[in-house]
Amino acid sequence: MDPTLQTSSNDQLPKSSSNQELNQLPREKFWEVIDIYRWEEFWCSSTEIERISAFQSHFQADDNDVIIASSLKTGTTWLKAVCVSIIHGDSDDEDLLIKGVPHAYAPNLENQIYQDSLHPDLSSAALESLKMPHKILFLKYEDLKSNPIEEAKKLASFLGKPFHEDEDVQKVMQRCSLDRLKNLAVTKNGMTSKVPNSFFYRLGTVGDWKNYLTPEMSERLDHITRMKLQSSGLDLQN
């Protein structure tokens, strides 16, 4: 599969994705089972395209919405767990992470919220009542791993829930440690959108990609990343 993120005229799909329109897009097989299409510079299944189109057409963000935007396998589940714990406090009687995985409280837009309906009722979406002091916060997984306390403080301030005692941030990060999250019963035994919850966690080790990507693959991805983020001001370490 060619992951190059260059667009052509065929990559632009109208908001209503008919079979005829899908057939005009570059297509590959994902896991030799699912047809995926290059659309708006990403590879998506037909159902994902339909849901994302509905989101783009109808979603109206409120000032108090919190949206986590991340690539696959970049610590999203862990970050959601930290957000849930910060927002809902650290009471031992209200440990939501024991009752459900982080995705249950901060659901994925295209694969959860828009799964059953292209016009979902968003009035009860998780995290909706939070007042944000700023609009965008960039977090890096490497920083979360190397300096979790300071990054958690930064995140809490952004979410409008600043920590007042160091003990509070320590308690949240202990509750959200990867070892604890991986070994919770809801992780070992539950499923989310037909996917075992255990699949949402890997080693959580910085640099583990080196065990899976060749130097050539790494350089190609670095080139694409530099090209897409060159004017963003972000400095992403390898």
Side-chain angles (χ1 to χ4, degrees):
M1 183 188 305
D2 180 6
T4 303
L5 298 183
Q6 296 178 343
T7 60
S8 67
S9 59
N10 284 341
D11 290 336
Q12 303 304 315
L13 185 70
K15 298 304 180 185
S16 178
S17 52
S18 67
N19 290 335
Q20 182 178 1
E21 292 163 343
L22 284 174
N23 290 334
Q24 297 175 0
L25 299 177
R27 181 175 62 181
E28 295 284 353
K29 282 287 188 181
F30 181 63
W31 285 350
E32 304 300 325
V33 175
I34 303 172
D35 285 330
I36 56 176
Y37 304 85
R38 195 174 71 185
W39 175 67
E40 294 194 357
E41 301 189 355
F42 290 91
W43 290 93
C44 309
S45 69
S46 59
T47 54
E48 288 173 329
I49 292 175
E50 187 175 31
R51 294 168 188 170
I52 295 170
S53 294
F55 165 77
Q56 292 174 336
S57 299
H58 306 296
F59 181 78
Q60 295 292 324
D62 291 331
D63 287 341
N64 57 0
D65 283 337
V66 176
I67 297 177
I68 298 174
S70 63
S71 298
L72 293 173
K73 315 311 293 182
T74 58
T76 308
T77 305
W78 184 31
L79 180 57
K80 286 184 177 183
V82 176
C83 287
V84 168
S85 293
I86 290 173
I87 291 170
H88 292 281
D90 58 9
S91 171
D92 292 333
D93 295 333
E94 291 294 331
D95 186 355
L96 298 180
L97 299 176
I98 292 178
K99 304 174 183 178
V101 292
H103 299 292
Y105 308 109
N108 180 282
L109 283 167
E110 66 268 27
N111 291 328
Q112 289 180 268
I113 292 180
Y114 281 81
Q115 181 177 19
D116 297 325
S117 172
L118 297 182
H119 300 278
D121 178 8
L122 300 176
S123 60
S124 60
L127 314 186
E128 70 158 17
S129 63
L130 188 63
K131 300 297 182 183
M132 296 191 299
H134 306 290
K135 292 298 182 184
I136 298 175
L137 173 68
F138 286 109
L139 293 175
K140 302 176 186 177
Y141 183 77
E142 291 82 0
D143 293 342
L144 280 168
K145 289 289 290 185
S146 63
N147 199 359
I149 299 300
E150 291 305 315
E151 291 300 300
K153 289 180 179 179
K154 184 192 304 182
L155 176 61
S157 295
F158 173 76
L159 294 173
K161 295 279 188 175
F163 294 109
H164 299 293
E165 303 291 340
D166 287 345
E167 181 182 357
D168 295 333
V169 65
Q170 292 278 3
K171 190 177 295 185
V172 164
M173 296 314 293
Q174 289 172 2
R175 173 172 289 178
C176 298
S177 72
L178 288 174
D179 285 341
R180 179 177 185 266
L181 294 175
K182 290 179 188 177
N183 288 289
L184 291 175
V186 69
T187 301
K188 292 183 175 181
N189 305 320
M191 299 186 71
T192 300
S193 298
K194 300 181 180 179
V195 176
N197 290 334
S198 59
F199 282 19
F200 294 117
Y201 298 96
R202 296 182 70 250
L203 293 178
T205 302
V206 172
D208 189 47
W209 59 266
K210 297 175 182 177
N211 296 317
Y212 299 90
L213 302 181
T214 65
E216 292 77 14
M217 294 166 68
S218 171
E219 176 55 34
R220 187 172 188 182
L221 287 173
D222 285 345
H223 172 73
I224 294 171
T225 302
R226 287 192 297 268
M227 178 181 66
K228 304 301 287 187
L229 300 180
Q230 60 184 347
S231 61
S232 68
L234 288 176
D235 180 20
L236 302 181
Q237 68 183 69
N238 293 327

